[in-house]
Amino acid sequence: MPESSVELTEAEWAIIKAIWKSEPTTAPAVQEALFKQTGWTYSTVRTLMDRMTVKGLLKATKKGKVTSFTSAVTRAQAQRSELLYALKHAFNGALTPMVQCLLESQKLSDAEITELETLIRERKRRGK
């Protein structure tokens, strides 16, 4: 699945995070893992997972009466897509205001700031 087409709803995020924790897994296992957080019934979870399979977000493998699910997208793909969506919609594609917002709204440690500075320096070197 191309990274640009990975768009997850809030419910899909809950499902795929549960799957990433223990894939391959089944709908009953996901329902059990998410029940305290969501209150979802088995049929709700199974319907969501079937729709996610049709959308190409999950892969389903049936053995007998048991269907196992695995993710078809990586955590990095989903995160990148979500970030680019926010950049486009909340910041009109402008990266600097988004980064400024993150820096101002988060308490960053000195180590995190140093890590960000290192990433920027490495990107500058590669870009030249």
Side-chain angles (χ1 to χ4, degrees):
M1 162 169 272
E3 291 182 27
S4 61
S5 65
V6 178
E7 288 186 17
L8 299 170
T9 65
E10 191 172 335
E12 290 169 344
W13 269 108
I15 298 277
I16 205 156
K17 285 178 181 179
I19 289 172
W20 285 332
K21 284 183 183 176
S22 61
E23 60 186 312
T25 191
T26 62
V30 171
Q31 188 267 334
E32 184 178 325
L34 294 177
F35 185 75
K36 285 183 184 176
Q37 170 190 340
T38 64
W40 291 339
T41 63
Y42 166 78
S43 62
T44 298
V45 170
R46 182 59 192 249
T47 298
L48 285 166
M49 292 174 75
D50 288 342
R51 288 180 183 163
M52 290 173 73
T53 302
V54 170
K55 286 174 71 174
L57 300 170
L58 300 179
K59 294 177 189 172
T61 306
K62 189 163 181 134
K63 289 185 181 175
K65 294 182 179 183
V66 177
T67 303
S68 293
F69 292 87
T70 57
S71 62
V73 296
T74 66
R75 186 179 301 268
Q77 286 173 313
Q79 289 170 334
R80 180 175 290 115
S81 181
E82 192 79 11
L83 181 64
L84 293 175
Y85 180 89
L87 177 64
K88 178 181 175 185
H89 294 281
F91 296 94
N92 295 320
L95 182 60
T96 301
M98 185 175 85
V99 172
Q100 183 176 359
C101 178
L102 290 170
L103 291 171
E104 290 173 355
S105 65
Q106 300 292 320
K107 292 187 177 189
L108 299 176
S109 68
D110 288 342
E112 289 171 318
I113 292 170
T114 299
E115 186 176 350
L116 290 171
E117 290 170 337
T118 300
L119 289 170
I120 291 168
R121 277 194 302 277
E122 287 175 7
R123 176 61 175 97
K124 278 183 168 180
R125 278 196 290 263
R126 283 196 326 259
K128 290 184 178 182

